[in-house]
Amino acid sequence: MFFGSIDYLGLADATDKDLQVNVNVSPILDLRTEKSGSTITELVLSATPNSSGTFVKDNLDVIVNTSNPTGYTLTFANKDTDTALHHTAPTSTDAITSLTATATDTTFPLNTWGYSTGDIASTQSFSPIPISTAPVVLKATAAPASDDTTTVTFGANIGVNIASGTYEDTVVFSATTNYVPPATATFTVAPVVTTNLSGGDTLTLDTDIDWIDDMGQMIVTIYSNATDGSICASPTAVKYQVSGQDKLRITCTSPAKGAGTYNVSLELLKFSQKYVASNTIEYKYRFYTI
């Protein structure tokens, strides 16, 4: 949509308009549930009840793939706020309710069900089924993932005082890519090494940008005006601490320049952000005596 007017009075009245074009690329994210290596959409537990209760359990694997540089968060909850397994017969009101407190295989109340993380063990700790409005976090990662697996076990203890048949409910696993934080500090830079530099030396720069894991590609440019920038070669991100906070330190190979005072530009390509230093680095000739 174009706003404004165009005046066709001649070339002298022509104007230019800059248009910024942004392309947001979503990270790859894949989530699936498997049992013994095969994709499943339901987990079936079978029990023959007795008076003291019959405890049954089974597990499944929740598998996530993502290219997101800061990983993903996996959550789990019931599909709604009714966490009971209801009898599928329309005329039946029997239900297997969720645990109300943690329980083990041997302490499960009759006609209840719950979940546990991890592979099936001889004795596990099971938790109540969370409602849809209060999902629980099963896993949170901080890096890309390839077939990252979280095992979840469901258990139920069945007594003789409910009708036979099928009881069912739906739970939801959700994988969400973690937010990639922008480097949103006021950029300042100062040389840590203050020896005279004539090019080819290691330049160490401290910034007050918060450290970000997997910083990505950087471009450091040394310049005295808008047109004479020289690249500081092979910049590397290094973590250092200021008042207990992790900040970004950069090391690179200095370009050769004459004596003078220069500004510094840092561009973080992964985060599409550019910082221009307000303070300066001073380059001086280095003299050698033979």
Side-chain angles (χ1 to χ4, degrees):
M1 182 178 292
F2 178 82
F3 294 95
S5 62
I6 301 176
D7 190 350
Y8 293 98
L9 296 179
L11 292 177
D13 296 307
T15 59
D16 293 327
K17 295 292 184 182
D18 293 335
L19 175 66
Q20 180 175 324
V21 178
N22 297 320
V23 178
N24 294 321
V25 180
S26 299
I28 297 170
L29 179 65
D30 173 67
L31 169 68
R32 66 185 189 275
T33 50
E34 290 188 355
K35 177 69 178 173
S36 301
S38 299
T39 301
I40 62 171
T41 56
E42 63 180 9
L43 188 69
V44 179
L45 286 75
S46 299
T48 301
N50 59 50
S51 57
S52 60
T54 299
F55 181 76
V56 291
K57 62 182 179 180
D58 201 356
N59 64 359
L60 56 80
D61 292 328
V62 184
I63 302 173
V64 177
N65 289 279
T66 182
S67 63
N68 189 49
T70 59
Y72 71 94
T73 299
L74 178 65
T75 60
F76 159 72
N78 198 274
K79 187 176 182 179
D80 50 38
T81 57
D82 182 0
T83 57
L85 295 161
H86 291 279
H87 199 294
T88 56
T91 57
S92 175
T93 59
D94 284 354
I96 302 170
T97 60
S98 169
L99 291 172
T100 57
T102 58
T104 66
D105 305 52
T106 58
T107 62
F108 245 81
L110 289 178
N111 302 328
T112 62
W113 73 304
Y115 82 97
S116 175
T117 55
D119 293 327
I120 288 180
S122 56
T123 302
Q124 292 174 264
S125 178
F126 288 83
S127 299
I129 304 297
I131 60 176
S132 58
T133 54
V136 297
V137 175
L138 298 179
K139 180 178 287 186
T141 70
S146 177
D147 281 353
D148 194 30
T149 301
T150 300
T151 300
V152 181
T153 300
F154 292 94
N157 191 25
I158 310 302
V160 295
N161 56 331
I162 60 172
S164 61
T166 300
Y167 293 77
E168 65 181 21
D169 192 20
T170 301
V171 296
V172 177
F173 297 99
S174 298
T176 305
T177 53
N178 296 329
Y179 174 57
V180 179
T184 55
T186 302
F187 178 68
T188 61
V189 62
V192 176
V193 179
T194 56
T195 53
N196 295 338
L197 299 171
S198 60
D201 296 291
T202 297
L203 182 64
T204 303
L205 308 170
D206 282 353
T207 80
D208 61 358
I209 297 175
D210 291 336
W211 173 261
I212 300 172
D213 291 327
D214 191 15
M215 190 68 65
Q217 186 177 355
M218 299 175 292
I219 296 176
V220 179
T221 308
I222 310 297
Y223 63 96
S224 61
N225 58 54
T227 61
D228 73 348
S230 299
I231 299 298
C232 191
S234 303
T236 301
V238 181
K239 186 188 298 184
Y240 80 109
Q241 283 203 331
V242 176
S243 301
Q245 299 296 316
D246 290 333
K247 300 293 183 178
L248 170 64
R249 171 178 289 168
I250 302 163
T251 63
C252 56
T253 302
S254 66
K257 282 184 172 292
T261 300
Y262 298 87
N263 292 321
V264 181
S265 165
L266 168 63
E267 191 170 0
L268 305 180
L269 299 188
K270 172 170 284 189
F271 304 102
S272 300
Q273 298 196 20
K274 187 173 183 178
Y275 301 86
V276 176
S278 57
N279 52 344
T280 58
I281 297 173
E282 186 172 289
Y283 278 82
K284 297 180 181 179
Y285 287 115
R286 175 176 291 174
F287 292 93
Y288 294 90
T289 300
I290 300 175

